[in-house]
């Protein structure tokens, strides 16, 4: 069964550093998403991406965040200057018709 | 905006007992409804979904959920649980949209189901 692949599975970074989280969506999916889950809290929507542009973003997705589909297969989330409160599990997802497929997540720890 | 309430943060139950995980939502528009399961150190896996049609939907591993529009609920049930069902379960809703797109998902806080031998 097709999968959404996320790398790395764990990342530790120092506060203020830039991080890039990578995702390979399912190949025939056209819609891509990032969600995050802070430990003990709800899974929260960050951003959706379609046709090489952001289609929707949440209030969490401020100027520190950006997304890109650099080469037609990868979908990346960049955090420019990480803060302690960015520590969370980040999930990538892609969708076709009426169904999301999530990746296994990247656990980001900011120290 | 939609919101999702999962009333129970933890549900302990013995093996082979029935279980119900509750989910209520609020929305001013029509919604699609989902249950996701998260096993330890894994991602979110779709368990079942309601898009339209029959209000009772079933998964391949014995779970079922019923959409109740009047009560704005989508409770998840299983008549007899196994130890392997131990996981976190998330209810989610998405606004219905025309065409093939799905709107953003709004998740509940999750319910940790623990099945004891």
């Amino acid at each position: 069964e097709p999968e959404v692949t996320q790398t790395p599975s764990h990342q530790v970074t120092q506060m203020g550093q830039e991080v890039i989280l990578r995702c390979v969506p399912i190949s025939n999916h056209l819609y891509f998403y990032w969600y995050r889950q802070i430990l003990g809290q709800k899974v929260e929507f960050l951003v959706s991406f379609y046709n090489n542009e952001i289609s929707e973003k949440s209030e969490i997705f401020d100027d520190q965040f950006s997304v890109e589909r650099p080469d037609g297969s990868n979908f990346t989330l960049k955090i420019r200057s990480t803060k302690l409160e960015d520590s969370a599990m980040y999930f990538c997802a892609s969708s076709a018709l009426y169904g999301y497929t999530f990746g296994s997540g990247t656990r980001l720890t900011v120290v | 905006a939609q919101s999702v309430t999962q009333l129970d943060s933890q549900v302990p139950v013995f093996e082979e007992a029935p279980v119900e995980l509750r989910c209520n939502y609020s929305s001013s528009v029509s919604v699609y409804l989902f249950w996701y399961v998260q096993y330890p150190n894994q991602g979110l896996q779709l368990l079942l979904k309601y898009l339209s049609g029959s209000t009772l939907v079933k998964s391949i591993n014995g779970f079922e959920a019923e959409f109740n529009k009047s009560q704005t609920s989508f409770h998840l049930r299983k008549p007899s649980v196994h130890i392997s069902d131990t996981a976190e379960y998330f209810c989610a809703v998405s606004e219905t949209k025309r065409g093939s797109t799905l709107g953003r998902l709004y998740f509940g806080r999750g319910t940790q189901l623990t099945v004891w031998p």
Side-chain angles (χ1 to χ4, degrees):
Chain A
E1 189 168 330
E3 290 184 342
V4 173
T5 305
Q6 288 187 245
T7 55
S9 56
H10 294 88
Q11 179 143 7
V12 180
T13 188
Q14 287 199 325
M15 193 168 53
Q17 295 296 304
E18 174 184 285
V19 295
I20 298 177
L21 310 183
R22 303 181 191 279
C23 169
V24 178
I26 293 174
S27 60
N28 62 347
H29 286 184
L30 299 177
Y31 301 89
F32 314 114
Y33 311 84
W34 284 100
Y35 287 77
R36 79 173 185 188
Q37 184 183 25
I38 295 173
L39 190 64
Q41 297 188 26
K42 291 185 183 186
V43 177
E44 303 171 292
F45 169 79
L46 293 177
V47 66
S48 59
F49 192 85
Y50 170 71
N51 200 25
N52 282 322
E53 61 183 23
I54 290 173
S55 51
E56 188 179 0
K57 61 182 180 179
S58 72
E59 57 281 357
I60 302 167
F61 195 87
D62 61 21
D63 291 344
Q64 294 283 63
F65 293 90
S66 61
V67 289
E68 195 177 32
R69 190 156 162 78
D71 57 13
S73 62
N74 290 286
F75 179 52
T76 62
L77 174 69
K78 183 193 288 187
I79 309 174
R80 285 191 188 80
S81 178
T82 50
K83 305 171 194 165
L84 294 176
E85 54 264 37
D86 294 326
S87 294
M89 179 75 88
Y90 288 81
F91 291 107
C92 174
S94 65
S95 74
L97 183 65
Y98 302 127
Y100 274 76
T101 301
F102 282 87
S104 296
T106 293
R107 181 167 296 285
L108 176 66
T109 302
V110 182
V111 297
Chain B
Q2 290 82 26
S3 69
V4 180
T5 302
Q6 291 183 245
L7 295 166
D8 306 299
S9 59
Q10 301 206 30
V11 173
V13 65
F14 286 110
E15 196 174 16
E16 297 183 9
V19 71
E20 178 180 82
L21 307 183
R22 296 179 291 170
C23 172
N24 289 88
Y25 69 93
S26 65
S27 176
S28 57
V29 299
S30 297
V31 294
Y32 299 133
L33 296 152
F34 305 84
W35 276 99
Y36 284 87
V37 58
Q38 185 179 31
Y39 298 100
N41 300 314
Q42 294 189 30
L44 297 164
Q45 299 175 30
L46 180 66
L47 188 60
L48 43 75
K49 62 186 176 186
Y50 170 79
L51 303 177
S52 65
S54 172
T55 57
L56 182 66
V57 291
K58 300 185 179 186
S59 73
I60 58 172
N61 58 352
F63 283 94
E64 63 180 36
E66 186 156 21
F67 170 51
N68 187 317
K69 189 174 181 180
S70 63
Q71 296 187 6
T72 61
S73 68
F74 191 54
H75 300 331
L76 181 69
R77 301 183 182 94
K78 189 171 185 180
S80 176
V81 293
H82 302 290
I83 290 176
S84 60
D85 293 324
T86 294
E88 185 118 26
Y89 292 79
F90 294 92
C91 182
V93 303
S94 172
E95 179 182 307
T96 61
K97 290 190 172 215
R98 268 181 267 168
S100 61
T101 62
L102 273 180
R104 63 193 283 186
L105 287 174
Y106 293 84
F107 283 86
R109 286 191 175 275
T111 298
Q112 173 64 43
L113 173 66
T114 303
V115 181
W116 299 99

